[in-house]
Amino acid sequence: MLFDIETTSLSGMDGRVTCIACMDEDDKEEKISILWNEDEKIILETFFKMLCDEELLKNNLVLLGFNIKSFDIPFIVKRAIVNEVFIPESLLKSQIIDLRDICNSYELHFEKQSTATKGTLNEWAKIMGMEEKTEDGLKCIDYFINREWDKLKEHCQYDVEITSELYERLKKIGLIKKY
């Protein structure tokens, strides 16, 4: 499952999840699921319920995303702790494919250095000829505060669309093999 989150902070200790967009990377006809609610606990419970779907688990759960090892997954885990939301075993046992690490060659066993980590999701959109986002993720904080739910969901959905295109590109050039 390919996913992206929007939050009110860069820290799961003082921020919260405002939106999660998910899609089955192998079924492009299936629409993107957008999880949002004013109650963060409901977002997390719904996301974890999705991770327990029998179809996903049948072939072993694979989580795909951009910067999900360093940001999305740790943020979600912290917020689950804060909200006392049970984390399913499927998350703990899932294979994680972080496209940002692959784009920076970390998957090829090069040393990971924070100074070498380059490329935002929006920069990859531009390189791949996709429409660039006009606002960065920080704008989603304003969308949440101002209750502009459609803009929040649209932003998160487009991040998943860019991530999906990047995933397809990495498969095409051989950096990702079918798991």
Side-chain angles (χ1 to χ4, degrees):
M1 179 185 353
L2 196 145
F3 78 99
D4 184 69
I5 69 172
E6 298 304 333
T7 66
T8 60
S9 168
L10 295 177
S11 168
M13 301 304 287
D14 61 9
R16 59 155 287 173
V17 175
T18 58
C19 187
I20 302 176
C22 311
M23 73 178 289
D24 181 345
E25 72 283 354
D26 290 327
D27 186 3
K28 299 293 189 255
E29 298 304 315
E30 186 176 313
K31 68 178 195 149
I32 296 172
S33 298
I34 307 290
L35 312 176
W36 72 278
N37 195 294
E38 289 184 68
D39 185 341
E40 179 185 39
K41 186 172 186 172
I42 292 172
I43 296 171
L44 296 169
E45 289 171 339
T46 306
F47 180 65
F48 291 153
K49 184 177 180 182
M50 288 178 73
L51 297 184
C52 295
D53 179 82
E54 285 185 34
E55 284 299 311
L56 284 175
L57 297 176
K58 187 171 26 175
N59 299 316
N60 296 323
L61 179 63
V62 177
L63 296 175
L64 291 151
F66 190 85
N67 201 29
I68 61 173
K69 285 181 181 177
S70 297
F71 183 72
D72 299 60
I73 293 173
F75 199 103
I76 287 170
V77 168
K78 286 180 180 109
R79 299 312 301 166
I81 294 167
V82 169
N83 286 285
E84 297 184 69
V85 176
F86 182 80
I87 298 173
E89 189 173 350
S90 57
L91 176 63
L92 305 174
K93 291 185 172 184
S94 64
Q95 178 184 357
I96 298 170
I97 298 176
D98 192 320
L99 302 182
R100 187 172 193 194
D101 285 354
I102 293 170
C103 290
N104 283 287
S105 303
Y106 302 146
E107 298 297 317
L108 297 174
H109 307 290
F110 294 112
E111 185 177 336
K112 184 173 183 175
Q113 299 174 354
S114 60
T115 57
T117 303
K118 302 291 182 198
T120 65
L121 191 55
N122 202 37
E123 289 169 332
W124 283 109
K126 181 179 179 182
I127 288 167
M128 294 185 301
M130 296 179 73
E131 184 178 324
E132 290 181 77
K133 298 181 293 182
T134 55
E135 285 114 6
D136 63 22
L138 294 175
K139 188 67 178 165
C140 289
I141 297 170
D142 293 334
Y143 296 155
F144 178 77
I145 291 169
N146 297 324
R147 304 169 67 89
E148 297 178 78
W149 309 126
D150 288 340
K151 289 181 180 180
L152 176 66
K153 294 186 291 186
E154 183 179 298
H155 183 97
C156 196
Q157 177 175 333
Y158 193 57
D159 281 355
V160 165
E161 290 170 3
I162 296 168
T163 304
S164 177
E165 289 295 321
L166 182 58
Y167 170 69
E168 292 301 324
R169 173 85 51 110
L170 296 175
K171 280 192 333 188
K172 184 177 181 180
I173 66 167
L175 281 176
I176 294 179
K177 304 291 184 215
K178 183 66 181 161
Y179 31 85

